[in-house]
Amino acid sequence: MTKKATFTLHKELSIGEVDPRLYGSFLEHLGRAIYGGIYEPDHPTADEHGFRRDVIDLVQELGVPITRYPGGNFVSGYRWEDGVGEKNQRPRRLELAWRTIETNQFGLNEFVTWCRKVDTEPLMAINLGTAGVDEARQIVEYCNHSAGTFWSDLRRLHGWEKPHGIKYWCLGNEMDGPWQIGHKTAEEYGRLACEAAKAMKWVDPRVELVACGSSGRGMPTFPAWEATVLEHTYDHVDFISLHTYYGNQNGDTRNFLAKSLDMDDFIRSVIATCDYIKAKKRSKKVVQLSFDEWNVWFHSNEADRQIPAWSIAPPQGEDHYTMEDALVVGCMLITLLKHADRVKIACLAQLVNVIAPIMTIQGGAAWRQTIFYPFAQASRFGRGQALDLAMKSAFYEDREFGEVPVAEAVATWDEEAGAVSIFVVNRDIEEDLVLEGDIQNFAGYRVTDQFAYSNPDLKASNSASHPDRVLPRTIMTASVESGKLVVILPPASWNVIRLSR
Ligand code: AHR
């Protein structure tokens, strides 16, 4: 019997306004993300700054309103001062997080220049591993103070007369992880983050700050870490971070496709922890969530172990993504949208070459991985109000998650544009899914576009030599009659159904 899911599309089922920063990404000084990724001065498409124009075009096509930088684990040992000023004076350093050599030919000012070109907002992470309050206030003064002080005049001397005006900052990275340079307990980090936050806001009260949450919900200290950190920082920070990566190490696709249910539960637990501290402090302030690292990551783990230490920009973290990875990324995007009321920043980790939607060949072309497509469509169409669909779906049984809904879905309604986008993943890997929706509340709307992304081979992927092997296609299986939308979704597929007034 054909599997079925039913839903209701109604304006009153609004979850919240989708913050465009939900479609952020991440660039770390890791592997070929920066060097040979966005920055390759000898590349035929390089501009006057050494930025690859072909990569800029793809980042713009992907649609990334905010980009986190420079780490990641890298930031916990990073001296940002090494990456500013004359390039030939910049030191080479041993980089302990990824065991490489950092040449510092790309740094803070190059990143801000790149952001302005791409039209993405910087989300700057500071070092709270080996550095402290002094460095935290100095970098804000360098970036955001207009003139007349040591650090602001240094920026001007370096050629940036106007302040960068960087609004969003991460207070360190994954400080709960023993792998972190300068790993801390929740008490140690909470105190430091609080003092760094106060100093940063005294330099520039407009900044918004992200405190480090746990590096994953599997950490033994989750969620006590969040509670302790927020006890210390609640009045001084605006966001708490979440990170998660999934993989199909066991070759169990049904289980892999259900992993976004874990993400959903993770988000709910962090919201509950934030609100527990809010209640405890009798505070009116709501701390929001910054899901600033999320993706599929497992293909490259073994290859990475073979890379010798102390090389420059080695090919680390170069996952080649498949069709099934794109579906998991699609489910994760839908999960973020389902929490649009609290998740205000999210960063696909990462952007170029390292666990990335965009890949480059040195001196050659740039190309799109499978995960590029659901992200690009969500970023383009998923604007306005997120709408819960009150979905009732067929399900399958999974050993880890129990009943897994075959349909993972959410909608967005852009009232001004008069457009609704319904995003659905059909998790069934064998059968079509018949989706039926009551759309009477959207009288006068008709289906204008329908996109499907699927492939009979769930391991199919794009590559440098076959960059267009797995592409989304335009189909039209959707129809509307008497306020009812009926659409047939192919097995194992990401789908976008667009309705317009
Ligand atoms: O994104 C890759 C790494 O994953 C980051 O450096 C770190 O924060 C996380 O563990």
Side-chain angles (χ1 to χ4, degrees), residues 363-430:
W367 52 278
R368 301 167 192 78
Q369 298 235 49
T370 56
I371 63 168
F372 184 100
Y373 295 102
F375 189 97
Q377 291 187 332
S379 176
R380 182 160 169 218
F381 300 128
R383 302 298 173 116
Q385 297 282 317
L387 300 180
D388 180 52
L389 290 170
M391 184 72 75
K392 289 190 179 57
S393 168
F395 57 84
Y396 61 84
E397 284 293 332
D398 176 75
R399 57 177 164 80
E400 183 183 352
F401 296 104
E403 292 186 354
V404 178
V406 169
E408 186 60 79
V410 73
T412 56
W413 171 39
D414 184 342
E415 188 173 6
E416 215 176 281
V420 170
S421 301
I422 302 171
F423 302 97
V424 201
V425 169
N426 175 8
R427 286 194 177 103
D428 195 298
I429 58 176
E430 277 154 9

Side-chain angles (χ1 to χ4, degrees), residues 242 290 292 379:
L242 298 83
S290 171
D292 47 41
S379 176

Side-chain angles (χ1 to χ4, degrees), residues 248-387:
N248 189 7
Q249 290 88 346
N250 302 326
D252 181 347
T253 297
R254 287 164 197 266
N255 173 259
F256 185 41
L257 293 178
K259 291 286 184 191
S260 59
L261 301 180
D262 177 82
M263 185 190 206
D264 181 75
D265 208 42
F266 184 21
I267 293 172
R268 286 174 199 280
S269 309
V270 175
I271 292 172
T273 311
C274 289
D275 293 351
Y276 162 67
I277 301 299
K278 174 175 183 273
K280 210 172 163 196
K281 288 187 174 282
R282 276 85 173 135
S283 176
K284 292 205 179 337
K285 175 176 169 182
V286 175
V287 167
Q288 307 288 11
L289 274 53
S290 171
F291 214 125
D292 47 41
E293 286 188 31
W294 67 270
N295 203 350
V296 169
W297 180 12
F298 72 111
H299 297 285
S300 60
N301 295 352
E302 186 46 43
D304 280 5
R305 283 190 266 276
Q306 315 301 326
I307 295 176
W310 317 132
S311 51
I312 297 172
Q316 290 163 316
E318 300 208 357
D319 273 38
H320 282 204
Y321 289 114
T322 62
M323 184 66 231
E324 69 179 20
D325 298 330
L327 298 179
V328 173
V329 163
C331 288
M332 292 174 89
L333 283 161
I334 291 169
T335 305
L336 291 170
L337 283 165
K338 281 172 144 179
H339 290 284
D341 54 334
R342 284 303 282 276
V343 183
K344 296 294 175 186
I345 298 178
C347 301
L348 174 71
Q350 299 191 9
L351 185 57
V352 183
N353 287 331
V354 177
I355 43 174
I358 298 168
M359 299 296 289
T360 68
I361 303 165
Q362 193 188 348
W367 52 278
R368 301 167 192 78
Q369 298 235 49
T370 56
I371 63 168
F372 184 100
Y373 295 102
F375 189 97
Q377 291 187 332
S379 176
R380 182 160 169 218
F381 300 128
R383 302 298 173 116
Q385 297 282 317
L387 300 180

Side-chain angles (χ1 to χ4, degrees), residues 186-187 214 219-232 240 273 276-277:
E187 288 286 346
S214 300
M219 295 300 286
T221 45
F222 174 78
W225 171 277
E226 277 74 1
T228 306
V229 167
L230 286 172
E231 288 269 11
H232 287 292
I240 186 123
T273 311
Y276 162 67
I277 301 299

Side-chain angles (χ1 to χ4, degrees), residues 26 28 30 72-73 98 173-174 243 245 293 297 349-350 355:
F26 174 32
E28 178 167 4
L30 161 58
N73 298 340
W98 302 105
N173 176 71
E174 296 192 349
H243 291 179
Y245 295 97
E293 286 188 31
W297 180 12
Q350 299 191 9
I355 43 174

